[in-house]
Amino acid sequence: SISFFTSKKSDSCRKISPLFSHFSTMVPTVTFLKVDIADNEALSKVEKVEEVPTFILYKNGQLLSRFSGASGLDLMSLIE
């Protein structure tokens, strides 16, 4: 699964959000989750999210990768 930690106040999050949504329809074998940090403060702290957007990839409960920023190329690499 890929978790996208986002904020309604962030321009960078608004910029990358359509691409994240597009990938979620193109890759049905991966679960895509959007997590608003204002609505999910506890989870954001557990995941040590310090900036948005932050993307975290888990497979079988194991953290595989994470990055922060609005890079479409990094997001595509995370999905592959």
Side-chain angles (χ1 to χ4, degrees):
S1 67
I2 299 177
S3 298
F4 169 24
F5 287 83
T6 183
S7 170
K8 295 176 186 107
K9 298 177 183 179
S10 167
D11 289 336
S12 295
C13 290
R14 285 192 295 273
K15 175 184 159 191
I16 196 79
S17 186
L19 186 59
F20 183 80
S21 296
H22 173 72
F23 285 145
S24 72
T25 62
M26 299 303 293
V27 187
T29 57
V30 175
T31 301
F32 290 77
L33 307 165
K34 270 190 182 178
V35 181
D36 188 292
I37 61 168
D39 296 336
N40 298 281
E41 290 181 29
L43 180 59
S44 299
K45 286 182 182 180
V46 167
E47 294 293 349
K48 298 179 177 122
V49 174
E50 297 178 2
E51 61 183 283
V52 290
T54 292
F55 299 89
I56 303 176
L57 173 65
Y58 281 95
K59 184 173 184 179
N60 299 324
Q62 297 286 332
L63 173 67
L64 295 183
S65 185
R66 68 182 292 146
F67 78 92
S68 297
S71 167
L73 290 175
D74 287 344
L75 179 56
M76 192 171 7
S77 294
L78 189 68
I79 294 166
E80 295 174 342

